Amino acid sequence: MAEDRRTRRSRRALGSALVELVLERGFTALTVEDITERADVARATFYAHFKDKEGLFARVTSDLLEELGERLRPTVADSAVGFTGKPVLEMLRHAREERDLYRIVLRGEGDGKPLQMFVDTCARATAEEFRARADRNGVEPRIDADLLARVWVGEQVAVLRWWAEQETPPMPPEEVVRQLLDLALRGRYWASGFDAPA
């Protein structure tokens, strides 16, 4: 029990040190020694858990995605048809709480691998939900679920990065979701100010 608590504490300290240092210097410039020194953790402890700094970043990203998945699950479960905006709202709230970590992942630090992990995980989950929703409602999607999921997640990641990078978010998360809901339901043509073509 004490060992598990110590392990969790060490991993948390290493993850926090990684995030702080990446924001200060960028991932490429960091060494394991920089991270362990900031975390006040022995190098031997670091290597007991991670092969290198890339492994630490992958773990931190994986933990972020796991936490996000837990938070999104209830918002997706009560969404029978269409876009409710609830999962995006929850993601924005999560990004507000974990802003620094989202920023370094979404910027593509670490040769873009954490960002790719983030996008791939979200796209897989989204495609599964699109397929399940189509089955539940007896409809046939007009666009391939994997392609649709990639488009959807790409848009969400772009909005999320823009929103998280601001010291003061440009608008409340509820307003972001309201506008995205309008876009999802009415389309880009309408969103650009045009009436539907005759």
Side-chain angles (χ1 to χ4, degrees):
M1 178 85 73
E3 182 71 30
D4 289 344
R5 201 174 302 125
R6 195 170 332 149
T7 296
R8 283 196 302 272
R9 193 167 43 243
S10 294
R11 285 183 176 165
R12 203 166 30 247
L14 289 166
S16 296
L18 173 81
V19 172
E20 289 171 14
L21 288 165
V22 170
L23 285 172
E24 289 172 21
R25 306 179 199 172
F27 184 78
T28 306
L30 293 186
T31 64
V32 168
E33 189 173 1
D34 294 330
I35 297 166
T36 56
E37 193 174 293
R38 177 67 62 94
D40 195 22
V41 170
R43 286 182 64 170
T45 302
F46 179 96
Y47 287 115
H49 301 294
F50 306 103
K51 179 182 171 195
D52 49 28
K53 65 181 185 175
E54 288 79 8
L56 171 61
F57 202 172
R59 176 59 184 263
V60 167
T61 305
S62 174
D63 290 346
L64 177 75
L65 284 163
E66 190 175 314
E67 187 178 305
L68 177 61
E70 288 297 317
R71 290 178 65 152
L72 292 182
R73 205 161 285 117
T75 68
V76 173
D78 65 3
S79 170
V81 180
F83 173 52
T84 64
K86 291 177 184 177
V88 177
L89 181 58
E90 192 57 40
M91 183 182 281
L92 287 165
R93 288 174 175 160
H94 191 235
R96 183 171 49 202
E97 292 167 19
E98 298 290 344
R99 180 173 174 254
D100 289 343
L101 178 51
Y102 270 87
R103 286 167 67 205
I104 67 170
V105 169
L106 297 176
R107 284 177 185 174
E109 292 281 0
D111 290 336
K113 290 177 184 168
L115 174 58
Q116 193 64 55
M117 182 191 306
F118 188 91
V119 170
D120 289 347
T121 301
C122 291
R124 269 193 307 276
T126 301
E128 285 172 17
E129 178 55 28
F130 286 167
R131 287 187 190 97
R133 192 176 293 161
D135 287 347
R136 283 194 303 270
N137 292 284
V139 298
E140 188 64 37
R142 294 184 178 95
I143 296 176
D144 177 80
D146 292 314
L147 175 61
L148 183 58
R150 289 282 168 177
V151 170
W152 180 251
V153 169
E155 287 179 348
Q156 303 312 309
V157 166
V159 169
L160 192 58
R161 179 176 178 190
W162 164 74
W163 192 80
E165 283 291 348
Q166 314 297 320
E167 283 299 326
T168 302
M171 61 183 75
E174 295 79 8
E175 179 60 19
V176 173
V177 170
R178 187 194 66 74
Q179 291 192 36
L180 289 175
L181 184 56
D182 279 344
L183 176 62
L185 296 176
R186 301 181 185 195
R188 288 179 178 83
Y189 196 77
W190 172 88
S192 298
F194 297 98
D195 293 323

